[in-house]
Amino acid sequence: MSKPLKVGLVGTGGISNRHMAAYQEHPDRLQLTAVCDVVESLAQDYAKKTGVDAIYLDYEQMLKEADIDAVDICTGHNLHAPQTIAAAEAGKHVIVEKAMSNTLQDCRNMIAATDKAGVTLMIAQHLRHSPEAIAAKRIIDAGNLGDIHAARTHVIMTGPQKSWMNDAKAGGGVLQTNSVHHIDLLRFFIGDVKRVTGVCKSAQPQMTNGAEDLAAATLEFENGAIGDLFASWTTYLSPVNPSYMILGSKGTIHSTPASTATDNAPVRHFGLAMYGLKEDVPRDQRKENPFEPLDTSDIMLPSSSFFVNEILHFEECIREGKEPVSSGHDNIETMKVLFGIFESARTRRAIDLAEL
Ligand SMILES: NC(=O)c1ccc[n+]([C@@H]2O[C@H](COP(=O)([O-])OP(=O)(O)OC[C@H]3O[C@@H](n4cnc5c(N)ncnc54)[C@H](O)[C@@H]3O)[C@@H](O)[C@H]2O)c1
């Protein structure tokens, strides 16, 4: 039995609380040995809850002094590149929250630094670590949905009001903050995108430096499928939450909007309760509602929390020398879709992602 991976977590704000259970519940595989935040009270509170003695207000100092093999980066987007590169230079493995970074060049620099140091880089795309996403992918990969013709995804919600997420300089905006999850999941299901056309708008006064709170885009996938993306933080009230639809020649998979969730089909975080057309029934014999919950009964994941699963996947990849499911090399393709949409909105033309 190998020793647990020793981790230092930086950024003890909102999302770090979702990561906490991985460290509390899996001491055989993960040992949180240091925490860091520029706000001392937040770092102290997190350290108390996780039983950590080593508290840092300075990240570089944590890298230099703490007994750690890896870092878990839970800070805002504009810090992801410098903190990843510094960790790589200190020889530490990195799991970093989405979105990977603010610019494509930053993403490339993160990959180059971690490759050079020979350490693992994983982007925390937690939606890939749910039973529903794995079941949907299995159906698609087995060809049971037929040829994938199209996909739709939307996020329609009231956005943050006073946060770094409202500021483009900090990496804010609805695409980098929310749609990055949904774009990544569509890539997981369908494959890479080759061309995008998009429109972005900054509609509300709290959005600064041009951060978008509305976006619409068309994605052209390598396999010929067409994707339709819509994102709104300008919503006063919405009947639906983030959702997906994947249209194949033999069936459709869709997620249940929150408003229609039932006890049998609970909506998980980000509305990822997938339904599929189970049988290839002739058109005239189809039931009025042929959708049934995807069978996830034989998908064994260590935890019911996809945040815990993603961190355990990171540990497993390091232990076994495997590439993570959303490595830097993989995730940069998700980021190209985002930056392609920004570029298309700016230039008012379709963008081939190979140009970026
Ligand atoms: N996967 C998800 O569902 C999900 C949800 C929310 C946020 N996130 C991601 O998590 C990351 C953080 O978001 P959040 O909502 O937790 O933000 P947050 O603002 O709540 O937390 C960030 C923390 O980083 C600290 N910090 C800032 N600068 C620092 C520095 N130089 N050194 C050390 N600490 C520093 C802040 O004090 C704060 O406590 C972002 O990448 C965000 O997109 C992911």
Side-chain angles (χ1 to χ4, degrees), residues 132-184:
E132 292 83 359
I134 292 167
K137 180 159 172 59
R138 197 168 56 180
I139 288 171
I140 293 165
D141 287 353
N144 294 338
L145 220 60
D147 296 330
I148 307 300
H149 293 150
R152 298 191 76 174
T153 182
H154 67 242
V155 52
I156 303 175
M157 61 195 284
T158 308
Q161 303 301 308
K162 285 184 191 166
S163 162
W164 59 264
M165 296 179 193
N166 299 115
D167 181 1
K169 280 195 180 154
V174 67
L175 287 177
Q176 263 167 288
T177 306
N178 288 132
S179 299
V180 67
H181 289 294
H182 314 123
I183 293 168
D184 187 69

Side-chain angles (χ1 to χ4, degrees), residues 10-19 36-39 42-43 56-59 73-77 79-80 83 96-100 124-127 163-165 171 176-178 180-181 269-270 307 310:
V10 58
T12 52
I15 197 62
S16 69
N17 294 300
R18 300 263 190 175
H19 290 209
C36 172
D37 200 292
V38 286
V39 180
L42 284 176
Y56 294 89
L57 305 183
D58 182 287
Y59 175 69
I73 299 176
C74 294
T75 49
H77 303 160
L79 294 174
H80 291 178
Q83 290 184 337
V96 54
E97 263 299 337
K98 48 49 67 176
M100 189 169 173
Q125 291 286 1
H126 71 279
L127 293 181
S163 162
W164 59 264
M165 296 179 193
Q176 263 167 288
T177 306
N178 288 132
V180 67
H181 289 294
H269 189 56
F270 277 104
F307 294 103
E310 73 184 352

Side-chain angles (χ1 to χ4, degrees), residues 132-133 135-136 139-140 145 189 244-247 251-258 260-268 271-278 289-296:
E132 292 83 359
I139 288 171
I140 293 165
L145 220 60
F189 292 149
Y244 309 85
M245 193 177 288
I246 301 161
L247 310 176
T252 297
I253 289 178
H254 75 88
S255 62
T256 320
T260 56
T262 65
D263 286 349
N264 292 333
V267 166
R268 297 166 61 98
L272 190 69
M274 294 279 188
Y275 281 59
L277 182 61
K278 271 190 99 179
N289 181 2
F291 290 95
E292 294 178 17
L294 292 187
D295 181 6
T296 57

Side-chain angles (χ1 to χ4, degrees), residues 27-45:
D28 52 324
R29 293 177 56 184
L30 295 159
Q31 195 184 351
L32 194 67
T33 51
V35 296
C36 172
D37 200 292
V38 286
V39 180
E40 189 169 7
S41 58
L42 284 176
Q44 275 174 346
D45 185 46

